[in-house]
Structures are given as structure tokens and as C-alpha cells.
Amino acid sequence: MVNRHILTLTEVVNEKMKEVLLLNSKFFSLDDEKQIKILNAAIKVYVQKGYDHASTNEIVKEAGISKGLLFHYFKNKKTLYLFLFDHCVKVVMEDFYKKTVMGEPDFFKRLNDMTLIKIELLQTYPDIFRFFERVMLEESEQIRSDFQSRIKEFSASSSTWLFDGIDHSRFREDLDLEKAIKSMMWTFQGLSEEYLMKAKMKQQELDYDEVFAESKAYIEMFKQAFYK
């Protein structure tokens, strides 16, 4: 039986991709090799420069295409950026679902398994995750609201899925589970933001080994505090 909350999260991603397909149908008529060259070039330039300072001239040079050809597929720099984000999310989430074993009732075992899958995905898609880092730190007013709405939708759907089907009997009877869940989500959100800001201030890439090691320590701490 397929988990309904997985479908919900998939539908959020797919709904965005429907918009992408309608706006960029010409792009998908290209052969796969050319699509990959353009996407990889855009990721590289956006990661290096950020949205405001990224130049379409640099992107077309990196991709080996003309500027006119790029604008034949994408209306402007913003359209390309949003398309790139939605496409990368879809690629990663589809792989995530393939690797995720559903039905694990132990909440903290589920969290730990997800951490291991994220590590594997980081090794598979390092450039995409560098792009996600840049997106999370993006300060451009032109696109900030677009990403805030997207990230809010993805977070809400993924959080619902994360807690679906867990064995509540493992938690302490005197525990306010709703508050416990909020405290855990806020902790991991704050942890991510802290490491992202440290990486930004030091102008270096995120140390994922350190992030995941601390995440696992928090998982164990919450397990000891919240389970019987």
C-alpha cells in the first residue's frame, strides 16, 4: 500500500513541475545531453555568483550555447533559476523515495535512516546540494518570496509524512507529543540554519560530516528524553 503522505509530498513537487513543463516545454524537446549541459552550467554559475551576480553571459559560455538560444527556452534569468530549483528538488526527491523503506514505526530509527539516505544523496548529487545551500542563503529580493513559498510547501508536506504511521506507544505517557515534535523540528531547523550561516561567514562549503554527526547526537538525546 502506498503511503498517502508520500503522494502528498510528491504531488507538491509534481505540481511545481507541471508549471515548469508548461513554461519550458521547448526545453524538454532538446536531447538529454544538451539539457544536462545547460542545467549544469546554470548550477555552476549560480553557486559561484549567487542570483543577483549570476550572468546569463557566463551561463551560455559555460554551456557552449548562444544567449538567444537560452532565452528561446527560458524567458529570463529568474525563470531559469526557479526551473532549476524545481527540477533539482524533483531529481533528489524521486531518488529519496526509491531508497526509503516505508513502514518503520520507530520514529527515531526513521530519523536515523533518513540521515543515512541524505548522506548517500549528498555523495550522488554534490552539485545539486551546493545549489540548495546557495538557495537557502539567497538574499535577492527578486526571488526570495518565490522560494519562501516553495520551501514552506515542501516542509509542511515532508513533516506530515515524517510522522505518519509512527508507534506512539513508545513515547512517554506524560509527554505532550505535539510540543515534543515541535521542539525537535525547531532544533533541526535551527541546527541547519546555524551551520549554513557559519559556512557563509567563513566563505566555505558546509561540513556535512559535522552536521550529520551533531544531528545524530540530537536524535539520540531526544530518544533518551522522549521514549520510555
Side-chain angles (χ1 to χ4, degrees):
M1 181 176 178
V2 179
N3 187 297
R4 175 61 201 165
H5 292 306
I6 285 192
L7 286 177
T8 303
L9 183 52
T10 306
E11 286 161 3
V12 170
V13 177
N14 286 342
E15 192 60 36
K16 295 298 179 186
M17 288 308 296
K18 284 179 186 177
E19 298 171 16
V20 168
L21 284 166
L22 288 171
L23 291 171
N24 304 285
S25 57
K26 293 178 182 177
F27 178 73
F28 291 101
S29 67
L30 283 170
D31 63 68
D32 290 345
E33 185 178 350
K34 287 183 179 177
Q35 288 184 38
I36 291 169
K37 284 183 69 174
I38 293 172
L39 295 176
N40 284 344
I43 287 175
K44 181 177 180 179
V45 173
Y46 283 131
V47 168
Q48 290 178 344
K49 305 287 186 177
Y51 178 80
D52 283 335
H53 299 291
S55 164
T56 50
N57 289 329
E58 293 176 284
I59 293 172
V60 297
K61 183 179 179 181
E62 184 71 30
I65 62 172
S66 70
K67 194 170 183 178
L69 191 61
L70 181 68
F71 287 124
H72 177 69
Y73 302 123
F74 300 99
K75 183 170 63 175
N76 51 38
K77 185 172 76 170
K78 180 178 179 179
T79 304
L80 173 59
Y81 196 84
L82 295 175
F83 165 81
L84 192 60
F85 176 76
D86 292 336
H87 176 76
C88 288
V89 168
K90 185 173 177 64
V91 168
V92 172
M93 293 308 293
E94 284 183 346
D95 205 355
F96 180 83
Y97 294 144
K98 291 175 185 176
K99 299 177 188 298
T100 302
V101 177
M102 292 311 301
E104 173 53 62
D106 186 327
F107 173 72
F108 293 103
K109 175 67 165 56
R110 187 181 296 188
L111 268 183
N112 191 64
D113 290 346
M114 287 174 61
T115 300
L116 295 175
I117 292 171
K118 287 179 182 178
I119 292 173
E120 187 176 345
L121 291 174
L122 277 163
Q123 295 170 340
T124 306
Y125 306 108
D127 292 335
I128 286 180
F129 278 90
R130 278 193 284 270
F131 175 62
F132 287 156
E133 285 178 41
R134 171 61 79 167
V135 169
M136 296 301 291
L137 294 172
E138 189 56 66
E139 297 177 348
S140 174
E141 293 297 331
Q142 291 187 46
I143 58 171
R144 180 182 291 179
S145 62
D146 292 278
F147 282 113
Q148 285 177 339
S149 63
R150 278 166 161 76
I151 291 169
K152 185 177 180 180
E153 286 182 85
F154 294 140
S155 296
S157 297
S158 58
S159 295
T160 303
W161 166 75
L162 174 61
F163 293 99
D164 181 65
I166 62 172
D167 183 358
H168 292 77
S169 68
R170 299 180 186 226
F171 290 91
R172 292 182 2 232
E173 285 88 352
D174 63 336
L175 185 71
D176 185 325
L177 189 56
E178 184 177 348
K179 286 185 172 61
I181 287 172
K182 284 183 178 179
S183 68
M184 286 186 282
M185 299 309 292
W186 289 338
T187 296
F188 292 118
Q189 181 182 344
L191 186 65
S192 298
E193 291 173 356
E194 178 185 346
Y195 274 98
L196 282 167
M197 290 308 299
K198 283 182 181 179
K200 182 180 181 181
M201 290 174 65
K202 294 180 180 179
Q203 295 186 327
Q204 62 186 32
E205 291 184 4
L206 202 60
D207 186 339
Y208 283 107
D209 289 338
E210 187 177 354
V211 175
F212 286 125
E214 189 162 359
S215 296
K216 291 184 76 171
Y218 274 108
I219 291 172
E220 186 59 31
M221 181 189 74
F222 282 126
K223 182 178 179 179
Q224 294 297 323
F226 295 155
Y227 266 11
K228 298 175 182 177

